[in-house]
Each structure stands twice: as C-alpha cells, then as structure tokens.
Amino acid sequence: MERKQIGFELLIFEDANELSQNEQKLLHTAEQARENAYAPYSRFKVGAAVLLENGEVVIGNNQENASYPSGLCAERVAVFQAGAKYPGVAIKAVAISAASQDHVLQMPAAPCGNCRQSIMEYEQKQNAPIVLLLKAEKGPVYKCASMADILPLAFNSAFLSDS
Ligand code: THU
C-alpha cells in the first residue's frame, strides 16, 4: 500500500491591490459581468471573465431557468462562449466574482464541480494551466495556479482511448 498526499498552493490576497494590474482588470470585468446575471430564483449572481492567449476577454454570468436544472453557471457560459468565438485559442485565466442579493458574501465562491470539469477540458486540451481568480463582494481574493489543483484525479479524454 502506498499513501500519496495531494495538495495545492492557494494564494490568498487580503487586498485586491496586491494583484497585478491585469489581474485586477480581469476581476473587475468579472464583477461587471456579474451585474447582468439572470438569477431571479437563487438571487445569487456570478460573473466570469475569461482571458485568452490572444488578449481577448470573454465574459459570462449565470443564467437561471424556471426549470432549475436548465440554467447554467457563469463559468460555463463564459468558457463555452470563448470556445465558440475563439476556437482553439488557449485560456490563460478565469476570474470569478460572486455575490448574493440577500446577504454580504465574505468569502470567494469556488466553482462548482461541473464548472471545474468543463474548464478542465480546456486545460487538458491546451496542455497549459488556467489560472483562477476568485472573489466575493467582500473579503480576500483566492488565486489558484491551475484548474488541476482544485480538481485532482480529474476524469479526462485520456480515459476514453487506449493510446
Ligand atoms: N453558480 C455559478 O454561476 N457558478 C458556480 O460555480 C456555482 C453556482 C450559480 C448557479 C445558480 O444560478 C446560482 O449560482 C446558485 O447556485
């Protein structure tokens, strides 16, 4: 039997001003995108901003539905839009901003499992890490160096073939 510890380094910035100008800008874009979320059911708005290798930034926000499971998270709206508009262009970073309309969110909301898996698809395809920046309305910024960090032992396309 072998034991293996799997961990990752989470960077916590108490002040967003400690981030680079570009990172601050991306987070700001995610915050702006959050405003246009359609979240009448959960009243929990999320915005995402995807920075691509070509310098373009693509945004998304959560889009809910009266048939709840038909809605989609901000992160997937954003990365799918990026894939649709700029196919094959690598994703450098994704900034995610979350806020509740009912209480002050103090800690960054981490992407849900489905969004992690969806973003992981692009990370695996491009064979280069996607940086994540997470922030709530208040509180610190969390920075992860790659999606693989927060989705260890991920399922990926390698399992689907024998090569
Ligand atoms: N939501 C996101 O947009 N991203 C996540 O990673 C977690 C949750 C949305 C889905 C739903 O519209 C609302 O937040 C409450 O779950």
Side-chain angles (χ1 to χ4, degrees), residues 42 44 46 62 64 73-75 110-112 115:
S42 71
F44 189 83
V46 184
N62 51 330
E64 296 186 348
C73 293
E75 296 90 325
C112 78
C115 288

Side-chain angles (χ1 to χ4, degrees), residues 129-153:
I130 296 174
V131 171
L132 300 169
L133 296 168
L134 317 175
K135 192 178 181 307
E137 234 179 317
K138 290 237 157 43
V141 178
Y142 285 176
K143 180 177 176 179
C144 306
S146 86
M147 179 48 77
D149 282 351
I150 61 166
L151 193 63
L153 296 183

Side-chain angles (χ1 to χ4, degrees), residues 71-131:
L72 199 62
C73 293
E75 296 90 325
R76 276 175 288 163
V77 170
V79 294
F80 291 164
Q81 157 87 339
K85 202 166 175 196
Y86 301 104
V89 179
I91 298 173
K92 303 285 283 182
V94 181
I96 301 161
S97 165
S100 168
Q101 291 175 278
D102 298 324
H103 63 273
V104 180
L105 194 64
Q106 308 270 3
M107 297 305 283
C112 78
N114 281 313
C115 288
R116 292 181 200 206
Q117 183 68 32
S118 296
I119 296 172
M120 190 63 201
E121 178 78 14
Y122 297 95
E123 186 167 285
Q124 194 219 358
K125 185 159 69 103
Q126 69 190 37
N127 197 25
I130 296 174
V131 171

